Amino acid sequence: MSQTKLRIAIQKSGRLYEDSVKLLAECGIDLRNVKDRLKTESDNFPLEVFFLRDDDIPQYVEDGVADIGIVGENVLYEKNKQTTIVEQLGFGKCRLAIAVPRGQEYESVKALEGKRIATSYPFLTKQFLNDNNVNAEIHEISGSVEIAPGIGLADVVCDLVSSGSTLFMNGLKEVETILQSQSVLIKNNKLNEAQQQLLKKLVFRIQAVKKAKRTKYVLLNAPNDKLKEIIALLPGMKSPTVLPLAQEGWSSVHSVLSEDTFWDIIEQLKDKGAQGILVVPIEKMII
Ligand code: ATP
Ligand code: ZN
């Protein structure tokens, strides 16, 4: 019987490529020489990796040519294929937005009535227009959408934005957000039991990596008479670790802090007399 393997489709080159390969590496999955290849595999996890154009990934995963894939939600929803999202991955963040020439007045979505909209996302754009009872002409173009108004190809664009600087440089302003997007792990809907088990293993590792990214390990020295107050500030995983220091009257306190509350708590710790505060990244976090 051949050993079960998972086949994952990731972007061949482009904005998602590096983060996808990095995520696998952080999950402890070593890939054989990935440069200039269509596929590769891992020697220490039963995973085969296919490198594809991101636009093709939903189709391949629906068809079962690949079992799982990493793709932006923007592409996933545009292609509208039958797959299931397993996990949000937190990278490749962007939004699909409508932008109009900066000088143009825009009060509501009604301003789009009768306009020519250039986009690489005809399905999502159409859906947005329908939801808002607006009739407009959609011009599908595959790249450099933002220059369409400038060259008279369209009045308006519907395009991916992250910082907004590309729109700005092309004299456009963002007026509607159609979709907030990030990359996700998707799976084929008919995985067998053995594949599901393997996927569970992979997702477990991904979650540990994600959790670790949001947390820091903190070590500090505390005067014993302030220890109680200092410990009260630290959530820790269960409770902080407290060790006596060689110097009488002082202890070393170790704990884990989440990114959201991090700066707030550090300030308060200093105010309470904590010294020598060290903040260390966490590689994996399993709870
Ligand atoms: P491919 O050759 O694979 O089709 P592409 O040109 O369609 O590549 P990229 O520009 O590499 O795609 O973008 C891939 C994905 O990265 C997008 O679909 C989106 O999910 C995400 N992304 C994040 N920020 C941006 C951005 N500012 N502009 C475009 N895509 C972005
Ligand atoms: Zn693409």
Side-chain angles (χ1 to χ4, degrees):
M1 205 182 92
S2 73
Q3 202 208 352
T4 303
K5 226 188 241 178
L6 272 183
R7 295 157 304 168
I8 186 170
I10 66 173
Q11 196 190 18
K12 189 165 136 216
S13 63
R15 292 175 201 260
L16 302 182
Y17 168 80
E18 274 182 22
D19 283 328
S20 302
V21 169
K22 192 167 122 222
L23 178 67
L24 294 177
E26 287 168 339
C27 288
I29 299 172
D30 302 329
L31 300 181
R32 289 189 203 152
N33 183 22
V34 292
K35 276 264 164 292
D36 306 322
R37 294 183 63 171
L38 296 177
K39 63 176 194 169
T40 187
E41 50 192 318
S42 171
D43 288 324
N44 64 355
F45 196 92
L47 189 75
E48 198 169 355
V49 184
F50 299 158
F51 298 99
L52 299 166
R53 283 201 59 200
D54 66 345
D55 311 61
D56 298 332
I57 292 176
Q59 179 79 63
Y60 279 117
V61 173
E62 180 187 88
D63 293 346
V65 174
D67 305 307
I68 55 177
I70 294 178
V71 69
E73 288 170 302
N74 53 315
V75 169
L76 182 64
Y77 296 136
E78 174 66 24
K79 299 296 173 188
N80 198 23
K81 301 291 175 198
Q82 300 302 308
T83 64
T84 304
I85 295 182
V86 185
E87 186 76 25
Q88 299 199 309
L89 301 175
F91 57 83
K93 285 193 175 158
C94 58
R95 54 195 184 273
L96 184 62
I98 296 201
V100 303
R102 213 173 298 140
Q104 196 173 304
E105 262 191 49
Y106 185 93
E107 279 198 351
S108 77
V109 66
K110 291 280 167 245
L112 300 174
E113 187 71 33
K115 294 280 198 285
R116 295 168 303 162
I117 307 182
T119 187
S120 304
Y121 295 84
F123 179 77
L124 291 173
T125 306
K126 184 86 202 129
Q127 209 172 45
F128 174 79
L129 293 173
N130 288 348
D131 288 350
N132 288 284
N133 293 316
V134 171
N135 284 304
E137 233 178 84
I138 295 175
H139 288 252
E140 183 178 353
I141 48 179
S142 59
S144 305
V145 170
E146 67 283 356
I147 65 166
I151 60 172
L153 190 68
D155 309 305
V156 172
V157 302
C158 178
D159 201 8
L160 291 180
V161 189
S162 44
S163 69
S165 60
T166 309
L167 290 183
F168 185 81
M169 279 186 322
N170 285 280
L172 300 169
K173 64 174 179 193
E174 204 176 326
V175 291
E176 301 279 352
T177 301
I178 292 193
L179 176 79
Q180 292 283 355
S181 177
Q182 63 174 295
S183 58
V184 288
L185 181 70
I186 56 169
K187 68 167 184 177
N188 171 274
N189 288 342
K190 299 188 200 90
L191 294 187
N192 65 35
E193 189 49 38
Q195 290 172 318
Q196 296 275 16
Q197 286 310 316
L198 260 183
L199 178 57
K200 224 169 137 186
K201 260 192 181 174
L202 177 63
V203 171
F204 177 77
R205 294 190 190 188
I206 291 175
Q207 287 173 344
V209 169
K210 275 172 61 185
K211 231 172 255 147
K213 279 195 183 139
R214 293 196 307 266
T215 42
K216 300 269 181 267
Y217 195 74
V218 179
L219 304 94
L220 58 88
N221 296 334
N224 286 347
D225 56 342
K226 289 283 165 52
L227 205 51
K228 242 193 171 148
E229 291 169 62
I230 285 176
I231 288 174
L233 290 170
L234 296 166
M237 272 199 279
K238 285 221 167 58
S239 62
T241 307
V242 181
L243 303 164
L245 283 185
Q247 189 183 344
E248 188 112 358
W250 284 79
S251 297
S252 166
V253 180
H254 302 193
S255 186
V256 171
L257 285 187
S258 99
E259 210 171 57
D260 321 330
T261 49
F262 177 75
W263 286 111
D264 238 21
I265 293 185
I266 294 288
E267 294 289 324
Q268 296 180 53
L269 289 170
K270 273 176 55 193
D271 291 346
K272 295 276 181 234
Q275 292 183 5
I277 304 176
L278 293 181
V279 180
V280 197
I282 299 175
E283 201 181 281
K284 312 273 189 304
M285 196 159 142
I286 293 142
I287 24 182

